[in-house]
Every structure is written in structure tokens, then in C-alpha cells.
Amino acid sequence: AWQAAGILPKHGFRRTGHSPATARNGEVCVYSGGPAGHGHIEVKRNGRWWYGYGYKPNPISGRRFIACFAK
């Protein structure tokens, strides 16, 4: 998942400069680390975070934040 930080700009996404706490709807936030070291990607939508397996009220914790991106 952490590799998305290099792939998203190739598809028209730009770094927003926002943190997970200040991300706007539609922004994709990318992280590195985690149990297997693969990282994590989440999308802010309707004030909540979509993880690919459901919505959560808060962004993930315990991983190193890389950047948020928007198109």
C-alpha cells in the first residue's frame, strides 16, 4: 500500500499537504508500516474513513503517515 505514494501522482493525483485529521472528502491517505510492513490506504468520504472493508469514524493509527492525495 505504501507504494501508492509513488503511483497516485502518475494517475493525476497530487499531494494536498493535509494530514489525516485535516483531510477533505475524497482524499486518499497513504501510510507505511503495519504488521506485514505493507502499509495502508484509506479514503475520506462523508466525514468518515473508508478502508476497503467498511467505514470507520477515525483514520488508522499505529502506522507512519506518508501523505494525502486528491485528484
Side-chain angles (χ1 to χ4, degrees), residues 34-61:
H38 301 295
H40 178 75
I41 296 172
E42 59 195 16
V43 179
K44 183 133 187 209
R45 182 165 181 200
N46 297 327
R48 298 187 301 172
W49 293 96
W50 183 67
Y51 286 16
Y53 47 83
Y55 286 96
K56 302 285 182 181
N58 301 304
I60 198 163
S61 61

Side-chain angles (χ1 to χ4, degrees), residues 1-15 28-32 37-43 66-70:
W2 62 268
Q3 293 173 326
I7 295 169
L8 288 170
K10 294 176 184 178
H11 296 279
F13 287 81
R14 60 173 175 69
R15 287 180 183 243
V28 179
C29 293
V30 180
Y31 302 80
S32 66
H38 301 295
H40 178 75
I41 296 172
E42 59 195 16
V43 179
I66 296 174
C68 288
F69 297 83

